[in-house]
Structures are given as structure tokens and as C-alpha cells.
Amino acid sequence: MKKIQISPSILSADFSQLGFEIKRLEDAGADMIHVDVMDGHFVPNLTIGPPVIKALRKHTNLIFDVHLMISPVHKYIKDFANAGSDIITIHPEATDNLKESINQIKNLGKKVGVSLNPDTEISVIEKELENIDLILVMSVYPGFGGQKFIPDVIKKIELLKKIKDDKNYKYDIEVDGGINFSNSKDVINAGANILVSGTTIFKENNGNIKKNIETLKEV
Ligand code: DX5
Ligand code: ZN
């Protein structure tokens, strides 16, 4: 079984001191940093862009797991790659040509992720599964932190794990949205090996990030 990794979402961090927050996450044992990019068009919220990622890059060597909730996404992939993203994850609905966008990310030397909203079937991306490094299974509808986990996605995680094992694909299975101490074990047992969390990591146990990361990893 692959090592369980935690990718804290900085959407729940203190935006007035993101550099310090990133350091805090690294010191607390985060495996990577989940950066939620929202454009107010693909999702009804607006967060940060390439200049902020560039500014944060010097504060840590941790992997920047960049979740692009923007469309049309192909116009901005290069800027996010040049700003210091390590994994660039896109939504199939945000591009006219998923295969082309995947190749664009790979040609920039970055790992490529594809994200499935709760109501997006695996069939939408089935043809690309062998070419991607990560599948980001949304367990909430994208746009905001602090939402409630949608349990139906467990079946999707199990199916993605079965396809991966049957076809010997290499993709990581990352789950994002409403992850907490009461559903993390179900998500891991279903086949996920990377958990994204914002609210639970920053708010639980009086904000003891180290304890929250360790608790989410428990199986
Ligand atoms: C939602 C984002 C998630 C979210 C996770 O659109 O993609 O990464 O910030 O936050 P919590 O853990 O609070 O649901
Ligand atoms: Zn996210």
C-alpha cells in the first residue's frame, strides 16, 4: 500500500501571512502544499494567481500541488509552471482539449493531475488515465473550504483504485473536500493515498497542525 500523504490546503490559512503559514505546515510534517487557484468564473470564488505562487516558492522546497479551478485553463498553464508549481491539476470541463492540456503540462516538465467533480464520471477521462500522474477526486463541489464531505465519492475512489490495479496505471489518488477525522479512514481504505485538507488541519485540536496531519494519516 502506498504511503499516505497529506496536502494541506492553504485556502484555510491566514492569507495575510502565507509565507509564514507555509513554513508552519512544513515544520508540522506536511508532505506537500495544496494551492487552490480560483478565477471567479469556473468557480464562484477568487483566490490567488502565479505571482503569489512565485512569492511563496522561496519559502519552502515542499511540492506545490496546484489545483487550477480556472477556465479556459490552457491560457495560464505556462504561467503556473514558471511560477514554481510542481503538480498542475486541471478540470476536464475547463479545457477544449484535455489531451492537449495534459501534454502541455508534461512538456513543461511538471506532473499532471486531472480533477473529477462529484458529478463528473470517470468515463470523461478514462482515455487519459494511463497518461496522468494524479487524479484529484473532489468530495465537495469546488469553490470553498469548510464544506461537507459527499460520501457518494467513496465508490468512485474504489473504482479508480480497481482500474489502477487492473491496468497497472501509476496515478496517485488524491481526495479533496470536507476531509476530517471521521471520514479519512474510509477514504484511505477506499484507495486514496493523498488527502487534501484545509479546515480540519487548521482548525481542529486548537490548530495543532502537527497533530491534525498525523491523525489524518492514521489507518
Ligand atoms: C475547494 C478546494 C479544496 C478545499 C478543501 O474548492 O479545492 O481544496 O479548500 O478545504 P476543506 O478541507 O476545508 O474542505
Ligand atoms: Zn483543492
Side-chain angles (χ1 to χ4, degrees), residues 34 36 67 69 176:
H34 188 79
D36 283 312
H67 179 190
M69 290 160 275
D176 182 6

Side-chain angles (χ1 to χ4, degrees), residues 16-57:
S16 71
Q17 39 187 346
L18 278 179
F20 170 75
E21 294 283 73
I22 292 237
K23 200 82 202 76
R24 212 157 64 98
L25 289 168
E26 182 168 14
D27 295 346
D31 295 289
M32 55 184 86
I33 302 287
H34 188 79
V35 182
D36 283 312
V37 177
M38 302 179 186
D39 65 357
H41 172 239
F42 185 71
V43 291
N45 198 357
L46 201 50
T47 57
I48 60 173
V52 176
I53 290 176
K54 190 162 184 255
L56 294 173
R57 186 66 277 177

Side-chain angles (χ1 to χ4, degrees), residues 7-202:
S7 186
S9 163
I10 56 170
L11 187 63
S12 301
D14 176 348
F15 266 45
S16 71
Q17 39 187 346
L18 278 179
F20 170 75
E21 294 283 73
I22 292 237
K23 200 82 202 76
R24 212 157 64 98
L25 289 168
E26 182 168 14
D27 295 346
D31 295 289
M32 55 184 86
I33 302 287
H34 188 79
V35 182
D36 283 312
V37 177
M38 302 179 186
D39 65 357
H41 172 239
F42 185 71
V43 291
N45 198 357
L46 201 50
T47 57
I48 60 173
V52 176
I53 290 176
K54 190 162 184 255
L56 294 173
R57 186 66 277 177
K58 58 181 172 298
H59 287 272
T60 180
N61 292 322
L62 279 183
I63 289 169
F64 276 178
D65 167 34
V66 177
H67 179 190
L68 296 183
M69 290 160 275
I70 66 175
S71 70
V73 69
H74 67 278
K75 287 164 58 177
Y76 302 100
I77 286 171
K78 192 156 184 267
D79 294 343
F80 281 100
N82 292 340
S85 309
D86 297 292
I87 303 169
I88 297 178
T89 297
I90 61 177
H91 284 254
E93 301 87 349
T95 172
D96 295 336
N97 187 322
L98 181 59
K99 188 172 194 59
E100 224 168 76
S101 297
I102 289 170
N103 289 334
Q104 188 184 4
I105 294 168
K106 295 173 91 162
N107 293 339
L108 288 161
K110 303 300 178 181
K111 285 198 163 190
V112 58
V114 176
S115 184
L116 291 175
N117 280 348
D119 57 353
T120 306
E121 293 304 322
I122 295 171
S123 54
V124 168
I125 64 166
E126 190 116 37
K127 289 195 302 298
E128 300 310 325
L129 289 178
E130 61 184 323
N131 304 318
I132 59 178
D133 302 293
L134 179 141
I135 297 194
L136 179 58
V137 179
M138 294 306 295
S139 34
V140 296
Y141 282 90
F144 298 91
Q147 299 180 76
K148 205 165 163 346
F149 178 82
I150 299 171
D152 283 0
V153 305
I154 292 281
K155 285 191 287 298
K156 190 185 281 184
I157 299 166
E158 287 168 342
L159 187 48
L160 283 164
K161 182 71 169 66
K162 183 168 180 342
I163 295 168
K164 175 178 172 174
D165 293 345
D166 291 353
K167 304 210 169 160
N168 202 21
Y169 289 156
K170 64 177 185 324
Y171 53 77
D172 285 320
I173 301 174
E174 183 176 16
V175 185
D176 182 6
I179 297 291
N180 58 36
F181 301 146
S182 57
N183 59 40
S184 54
K185 290 175 182 57
D186 294 340
V187 165
I188 292 168
N189 291 332
N193 64 295
I194 304 174
L195 304 186
V196 173
S197 167
T199 305
T200 297
I201 282 185
F202 280 96

